[in-house]
Amino acid sequence: MEKLFNIQIPGELKTLLGKTNGTNDSNSCPLIWSTEQIIRENLNLGERIEDTYILFNNLLFVADAGNGDMFGYSTSEGFIKQNNIYVWNHKNNRRKQVATSLKEFVEDWISGKLSI
């Protein structure tokens, strides 16, 4: 995934994908996508330029809200400098930070503390 997108993946995401290859919520819906789904969803949105994919709206998406909105890390020049998780609103193309880490995102989404 790192070579395909020309980006360094955060340790917290590498660890989760290495142990579980994604997670599901209590209804067996994907909470954090599998490696394959992360690749597929980001490729579907990205533009192919000289064998390197430019990430859509400078985000590496790792989950969705089930309504068209997606969650991901902010990217810049091949790096994810912070573990913050953002939601991208598909209707207005805006994004906002919703968690300071993948763990916080998962906990808040499952508990209902995070809603969009």
Side-chain angles (χ1 to χ4, degrees):
M1 186 166 33
E2 288 182 319
K3 287 182 182 180
L4 177 63
F5 293 120
N6 194 29
I7 194 162
Q8 291 182 325
I9 304 299
E12 64 181 5
L13 181 60
K14 279 185 191 180
T15 299
L16 182 131
L17 293 174
K19 290 181 179 179
T20 67
N21 196 25
T23 60
N24 293 330
D25 66 14
S26 59
N27 298 319
S28 295
C29 294
L31 181 59
I32 302 297
W33 297 332
S34 67
T35 302
E36 295 79 15
Q37 189 171 3
I38 290 171
I39 291 170
R40 184 176 57 251
E41 296 293 339
N42 283 277
L43 289 180
N44 286 338
L45 293 169
E47 298 174 8
R48 187 172 172 88
I49 300 175
E50 297 179 15
D51 295 325
T52 303
Y53 287 91
I54 305 302
L55 300 178
F56 182 80
N57 203 19
N58 294 321
L59 290 168
L60 175 68
F61 295 113
V62 298
D64 68 270
N67 66 353
D69 295 350
M70 291 186 274
F71 300 100
Y73 292 95
S74 178
T75 66
S76 177
E77 299 175 7
F79 293 96
I80 296 173
K81 296 178 181 172
Q82 297 178 329
N83 288 334
N84 297 335
I85 301 295
Y86 294 82
V87 62
W88 169 73
N89 183 307
H90 74 287
K91 290 182 181 177
N92 63 20
N93 197 30
R94 292 189 180 162
R95 66 181 180 175
K96 71 175 184 175
Q97 182 182 331
V98 293
T100 59
S101 69
L102 192 61
K103 180 181 182 208
E104 180 182 317
F105 165 74
V106 169
E107 290 172 351
D108 288 355
W109 188 252
I110 289 172
S111 73
K113 182 178 175 185
L114 171 62
S115 62
I116 53 169

